[in-house]
């Protein structure tokens, strides 16, 4: 998918170091890092596994390359290794408010009925971590493991795409079964099958938006887009153009799907959507 060539051969563990490559897609430059394969016990440092997993922690999306002919063994192994270093795949952060305090014991509240945790269990877990004064508020029904994640606080929650390669070597029924799994894409690198769909899914998982700028009295510049996260506001656009722009901001005109009519005059808090056009007016 990139112009960079990473070494590939018919045996496992061909890649020995991290090899970067860039995909240009919808005006954005997406960096792909080809990481070496990890083995069982990588989280404990086997086969330089710690260095590999450390790179994965800072990524926006993890693409897990799996062999369609190997079944589910690889997937569960990789998930287990990433789980043990604090990477949570396709999960969201538990909605628990937790604040250690100087004194006053443990105050425990919940806004929902808890089926997996109880006040007694929460106290036991906190005592294990030598925390005797804290405020805990459960806003959703979480498991004890998720509560521990909140206490430890160094967990990374990130989306993951499971990509099954070598689908040209398995039956059609098996391909269908794998493709219907959640967060999964089936491809064949050898025969270049379904790679465009993988790119589409990757864009969706990255949750990026392109925003185009326009000068007064001129046509919008569709060659150079500003790439922002989904849910970015006009203020984020200002900061991306120049850091002093937000302080001199008067109003903006926006064309696109985020407005009721085009152009709409908006303020700093207006949320931008994909492929909107913006014209910023200064004081």
């Amino acid at each position: 998918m990139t112009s960079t060539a990473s070494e590939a051969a018919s045996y496992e563990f061909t890649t020995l170091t991290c090899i970067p490559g860039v995909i240009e897609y919808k005006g954005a430059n997406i960096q792909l890092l080809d990481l070496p394969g990890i083995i069982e016990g990588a989280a404990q440092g086997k086969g330089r596994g710690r260095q590999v997993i450390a790179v994965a922690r800072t990524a926006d999306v993890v693409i897990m390359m799996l062999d369609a002919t190997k079944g589910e063994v690889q997937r569960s192994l990789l998930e287990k290794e990433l789980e043990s270093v604090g990477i949570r795949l396709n999960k969201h952060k538990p909605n628990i408010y937790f604040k250690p305090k100087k004194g006053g014991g443990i105050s425990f509240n919940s806004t929902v009925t808890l089926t997996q945790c109880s006040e007694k269990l929460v106290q036991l877990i906190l005592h294990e971590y030598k925390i005797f004064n804290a405020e805990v508020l459960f806003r959703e029904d979480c498991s004890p493991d998720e509560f521990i994640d909140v206490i430890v606080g160094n967990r990374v929650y990130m989306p993951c795409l499971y990509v099954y390669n070598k689908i040209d070597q398995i039956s059609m029924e098996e391909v269908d079964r794998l493709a219907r799994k959640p967060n999964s894409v089936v491809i064949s690198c050898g025969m270049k099958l379904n790679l465009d769909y993988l790119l589409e899914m990757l864009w969706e998982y990255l949750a990026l938006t392109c925003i185009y700028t326009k000068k007064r009295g001129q046509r919008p510049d569709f060659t150079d887009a500003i790439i922002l996260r989904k849910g970015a506001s006009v203020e984020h656009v200002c900061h991306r153009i120049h850091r002093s722009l937000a302080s001199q901001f008067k109003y903006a005109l926006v064309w696109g799907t985020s407005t009721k009519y085009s152009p709409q005059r908006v303020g700093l808090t207006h949320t931008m959507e994909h492929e909107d056009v913006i014209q910023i007016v200064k004081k």
Side-chain angles (χ1 to χ4, degrees):
M1 285 154 77
T2 67
S3 52
T4 321
S6 176
E7 205 173 312
S10 55
Y11 54 89
E12 289 174 338
F13 304 109
T14 326
T15 315
L16 297 174
T17 61
C18 173
I19 297 168
V22 175
I23 310 172
E24 280 193 21
Y25 187 65
K26 290 191 182 176
N29 287 343
I30 303 167
Q31 189 182 39
L32 266 189
L33 300 173
D34 183 14
L35 297 176
I38 58 177
I39 52 173
E40 202 169 350
Q44 280 74 51
K46 271 191 194 168
R48 304 202 64 174
R50 279 232 171 111
Q51 288 92 319
V52 177
I53 294 173
V55 176
R57 272 183 82 95
T58 58
D60 294 313
V61 173
V62 171
I63 296 181
M64 211 177 265
M65 292 300 297
L66 304 164
D67 194 331
T69 56
K70 291 268 173 71
E72 293 301 301
V73 188
Q74 288 182 333
R75 178 170 168 169
S76 53
L77 249 171
L78 282 163
E79 278 179 341
K80 205 170 88 189
E81 291 302 326
L82 293 177
E83 190 97 340
S84 59
V85 291
I87 296 176
R88 302 283 176 264
L89 300 176
N90 294 326
K91 286 182 186 167
H92 64 87
K93 206 172 175 183
N95 196 351
I96 300 172
Y97 172 76
F98 170 73
K99 191 180 176 190
K101 285 161 58 178
K102 292 276 188 291
I106 292 168
S107 80
F108 174 85
N109 283 307
S110 67
T111 55
V112 289
T113 35
L114 301 180
T115 55
Q116 305 166 27
C117 271
S118 64
E119 187 169 356
K120 192 92 177 148
L121 184 61
V122 167
Q123 282 178 351
L124 281 170
I125 293 169
L126 287 170
H127 286 181
E128 279 291 314
Y129 283 92
K130 306 272 188 293
I131 297 169
F132 301 103
N133 302 302
E135 203 176 321
V136 180
L137 171 63
F138 276 74
R139 293 201 184 95
E140 63 179 4
D141 189 13
C142 294
S143 65
D145 290 333
E146 289 176 316
F147 178 57
I148 291 169
D149 287 349
V150 172
I151 300 171
V152 178
N154 61 356
R155 303 292 187 242
V156 186
Y157 298 88
M158 59 171 67
C160 172
L161 259 178
Y162 301 103
V163 180
Y164 292 93
N165 189 16
K166 304 183 188 173
I167 55 166
D168 48 299
Q169 298 176 13
I170 56 174
S171 68
M172 201 63 217
E173 292 76 29
E174 184 67 6
V175 173
D176 192 50
R177 189 183 70 80
L178 291 173
R180 286 178 191 282
K181 290 190 158 189
N183 313 312
S184 299
V185 178
V186 287
I187 62 161
S188 166
C189 290
M191 296 173 74
K192 299 219 173 2
L193 300 175
N194 213 14
L195 291 176
D196 46 353
Y197 177 64
L198 173 58
L199 249 179
E200 270 176 46
M201 288 294 286
L202 183 59
W203 180 262
E204 211 172 284
Y205 274 63
L206 281 166
L208 298 174
T209 49
C210 294
I211 287 148
Y212 302 106
T213 53
K214 172 187 179 310
K215 288 182 180 162
R216 185 182 283 174
Q218 292 179 10
R219 295 189 73 85
D221 178 15
F222 287 123
T223 52
D224 190 21
I226 298 173
I227 308 294
L228 293 162
R229 288 294 153 107
K230 197 171 262 180
S233 64
V234 176
E235 193 169 357
H236 293 114
V237 180
C238 292
H239 284 305
R240 184 56 69 85
I241 296 168
H242 196 274
R243 62 172 182 270
S244 68
L245 191 57
S247 54
Q248 303 168 346
F249 177 89
K250 189 177 177 188
Y251 66 89
L253 296 171
V254 175
W255 291 257
T257 52
S258 68
T259 57
K260 291 190 177 75
Y261 45 88
S262 293
Q264 184 175 333
R265 189 173 156 160
V266 296
L268 280 174
T269 53
H270 176 77
T271 309
M272 304 293 287
E273 283 179 17
H274 186 48
E275 293 184 336
D276 279 359
V277 175
I278 187 170
Q279 175 186 324
I280 294 169
V281 181
K282 295 201 290 187
K283 283 173 187 161

